[in-house]
Amino acid sequence: MRRTTHRITLALAALMLLLAGCGNQAGSSGGDDSDTHSPSPSPPESSTSASPSPGCTSATELDAADDGDTVCLAVGDTVRVSLDGNEKRPWKPVTTEGSGLKATNSGIVLLPGDANAAFEAVSAGRTKLSSSRPLCAAGTGKVSCKGLQDWSVTVVVT
């Protein structure tokens, strides 16, 4: 009886560890499916020292840490997006919804799993940039999950 209880305890512990691997918070990584290059902890540089309006930054370089931000640009400005992923947890291409931005050449070499894009502010408007990637790495012999890490930034062109 004691041996059976010990086996059940070990099996439950192993199951908990497997499930914990897919329970990482969005943006965190660990083990062999971690990003090969992670975003810097410092905030992105802005093109001007002051934000053009409250709740709005003037960043022209965006990464995963900018999720949920609102960026204000002037017509003629360019914003670049660089989402660092890997082959096991790739970012989907950045999509746009709204008006005011036009896709332009990002001029960046992609590594597997990365999503890079550049947009020029062409007219007044509001655009939502978005992408997503799996929370858990997919692979043979691994527990998988259906969770997604979403990323979006709202760009306001004035």
Side-chain angles (χ1 to χ4, degrees):
M1 181 72 165
R2 184 177 173 151
R3 177 175 258 164
T4 302
T5 304
H6 183 66
R7 285 185 181 166
I8 291 172
T9 303
L10 286 175
L12 287 173
L15 180 60
M16 297 286 284
L17 287 173
L18 286 172
L19 292 175
C22 281
N24 290 345
Q25 291 183 355
S28 67
S29 58
D32 64 348
D33 60 333
S34 63
D35 292 341
T36 56
H37 44 283
S38 55
S40 64
S42 61
E45 294 180 21
S46 61
S47 59
T48 62
S49 59
S51 296
S53 64
C56 199
T57 67
S58 57
T60 58
E61 300 285 333
L62 303 174
D63 60 27
D66 297 305
D67 181 34
D69 287 355
T70 299
V71 175
C72 291
L73 301 175
V75 172
D77 288 348
T78 299
V79 64
R80 297 185 182 283
V81 178
S82 179
L83 300 173
D84 295 334
N86 61 43
E87 290 182 30
K88 295 179 182 178
R89 294 185 57 221
W91 285 102
K92 290 189 176 183
V94 176
T95 60
T96 62
E97 183 179 315
S99 64
L101 295 179
K102 176 180 87 173
T104 187
N105 185 349
S106 66
I108 299 172
V109 176
L110 293 177
L111 296 173
D114 287 358
N116 292 306
F119 301 93
E120 181 182 355
V122 293
S123 65
R126 184 180 197 92
T127 305
K128 179 180 178 184
L129 305 176
S130 58
S131 183
S132 65
R133 71 176 180 167
L135 277 177
C136 300
T140 307
K142 289 190 170 209
V143 174
S144 65
C145 65
K146 301 292 183 188
L148 291 176
Q149 176 185 359
D150 289 326
W151 177 90
S152 68
V153 169
T154 301
V155 178
V156 178
V157 180
T158 54

